Amino acid sequence: MIGHVNNRNRAGLCRTLVSGALALSTLTVGSSAVADDPVTLKMWALVNENYPEFIQTATDEFRESNPGIDIELESIPNEAYKTAIQVALVGSEPPDIFFNWSGEDAARLARSGLALDITDLGAAEGNYRNVLSEAWQQAFAVNGRQYGIPVDAVSKYFYYNTRFFDEHELEVPVTFDELLGLCGKVREIDPEMVPLPLGNSERWKLNHLITVVNERVLGLDAVRADYALEAADDKLFTNPDYEKAWEKVLAMQAADCFQDAPNATSPEVSRSLFSAEISPMIFCGTWCMSIFDKEGFTDYALFRFPPMTDGASDGSTNMVIPQGLQISAKTEHPEEAVKFASFLVTADMAKLYAELRGAIPSNPEKVGEMDATDQFKWVAQDVASLSESFSVLDVMLEAGVSEAYLDMGVEVLNGTKTPAQAMDVIRAAAQEGKKKLAAGQ
């Protein structure tokens, strides 16, 4: 993501401490103040650039009117987080406040009673339901009740090196076939150059890619019943275009867009190939802007995944994933937890968050006051112009189907499963997932 941090915001901010096999980082803030009944709220989040700084600054300001509330932040890497939060929430000491993606991940916790219904608490004076739009609030709504506070949204784009494109007179592709051709042109310029590095060692990178490819091939209307597991058992994921979507990924691989071993490459390495100008493109999240900027590379622009001439989508849509905070149903401090989480989406905090993290904030009131880069402004305008948005498969689908898609991405890239075989596995997982939902599991 994009944004900058001025010296005032950086001064005195805590650094993340890394420890343990999960590389947990812990930040305790506000512990110096004294109150009659001090409260410590445990908060879990992903490891992200500038997030500890944001929580530190937010807590300092929050405590001016709420003395005695401490925040203990633990930051956990993406893949480890997905398992760790599930274990913690069913345990005896879950975090009071925790990050989550909207969609099935959040809804599942609501249905299982692990996430607190915060509808009424959120409506209290000054809390999030008084400052966020109804559309944003719906991101964490389940059966008309609220189970989370949306903080921001992330999206995915192709980033490209503008200097490289200008030097070699390359043009931004407007169709998928042109994208494949662009990979070929890059290889002609330098056979050793990887046009579009893919770091899939954690599986979610390709999952994001196939999410968008599915939409570009099938269109949103064709996938809704499958994704929601509402299609008849014998119809679930039977559309042959799902196989066609995997074939599009293999077409990118055959066009030498990727490096030789994408499943053995980390997301961090693939990003570094782009920011070091070793590769001229990358398919990356909006959070990547601040990473590239911090690494000193700013000669880039972005474009959406192009439509396909034989696909159902016109390309006016994009993947947009609302993210936010949920409250554990086991918290001993529900009012304090909702109040602090709500404070994070007030106008001033949302502006600071956007500046520090380059995110699209759920409260846009003061975004116009930001000293933002051209890339951030472009993304904000592009997201606002979308005809429709969709979430990512690994948080939208039922857990078993999500895992099947993650696993099959590795298998398809490795050549150990054909697209047809991959869809057989996904289809079986969907049928099993539908049975579990029907049984209330």
Side-chain angles (χ1 to χ4, degrees), residues 246 331 336:
W246 284 118
T331 182
E336 293 89 344

Side-chain angles (χ1 to χ4, degrees), residues 296-354:
F297 179 62
T298 59
D299 292 328
Y300 63 85
L302 304 89
F303 63 91
R304 281 186 221 153
F305 198 111
M308 301 176 181
T309 54
D310 56 348
S313 171
D314 64 1
S316 66
T317 59
N318 203 10
M319 186 173 74
V320 179
I321 314 165
Q323 304 177 138
L325 300 170
Q326 292 188 281
I327 310 300
S328 169
K330 297 179 182 178
T331 182
E332 297 179 359
H333 311 290
E335 292 184 14
E336 293 89 344
V338 172
K339 190 171 187 179
F340 178 72
S342 293
F343 182 74
L344 299 182
V345 297
T346 55
D348 287 335
M349 289 300 100
K351 176 176 176 286
L352 175 63
Y353 183 85

Side-chain angles (χ1 to χ4, degrees), residues 406-423:
L406 287 162
D407 288 342
M408 289 306 100
V410 174
E411 298 263 23
V412 169
L413 274 185
N414 278 341
T416 50
K417 285 279 194 301
T418 66
Q421 290 169 334
M423 289 314 303

Side-chain angles (χ1 to χ4, degrees), residues 98-118:
F98 60 94
F99 165 86
N100 208 352
W101 300 270
S102 67
E104 178 60 20
D105 272 18
R108 184 169 62 252
L109 297 181
R111 292 194 300 267
S112 63
L114 296 174
L116 186 68
D117 180 341
I118 59 173

Side-chain angles (χ1 to χ4, degrees), residues 21-25 45-47 75-82 84 202:
L22 294 179
L24 294 180
S25 58
L46 298 182
V47 172
S75 299
I76 305 173
N78 188 302
E79 280 296 293
Y81 185 88
K82 295 173 183 178
E202 296 180 5

Side-chain angles (χ1 to χ4, degrees), residues 104-157:
E104 178 60 20
D105 272 18
R108 184 169 62 252
L109 297 181
R111 292 194 300 267
S112 63
L114 296 174
L116 186 68
D117 180 341
I118 59 173
T119 311
D120 298 331
L121 290 172
E125 183 179 357
N127 282 354
Y128 77 97
R129 294 191 65 194
N130 299 295
V131 297
L132 298 185
S133 71
E134 187 64 29
W136 271 100
Q137 290 181 41
Q138 288 306 305
F140 284 90
V142 179
N143 296 327
R145 304 294 290 178
Q146 300 284 325
Y147 290 88
I149 302 175
V151 173
D152 70 325
V154 296
S155 189
K156 295 283 288 211
Y157 291 90

Side-chain angles (χ1 to χ4, degrees), residues 204-258:
W204 58 268
K205 291 286 283 189
L206 181 58
N207 195 264
H208 286 194
L209 183 64
I210 192 62
T211 297
V212 182
V213 174
N214 273 0
E215 190 278 336
R216 293 296 189 255
V217 172
L218 290 95
L220 290 178
D221 289 341
V223 301
R224 294 187 203 278
D226 290 325
Y227 288 179
L229 299 184
E230 293 174 351
D233 290 356
D234 61 345
K235 299 294 184 182
L236 275 173
F237 290 95
T238 56
N239 190 325
D241 282 350
Y242 285 112
E243 294 178 24
K244 183 178 175 181
W246 284 118
E247 289 166 358
K248 296 294 186 182
V249 173
L250 291 178
M252 295 177 73
Q253 190 175 42
D256 278 341
C257 293
F258 311 139

Side-chain angles (χ1 to χ4, degrees), residues 83-95:
T83 300
I85 191 63
Q86 298 292 333
V87 173
L89 290 174
V90 298
S92 59
E93 297 183 0

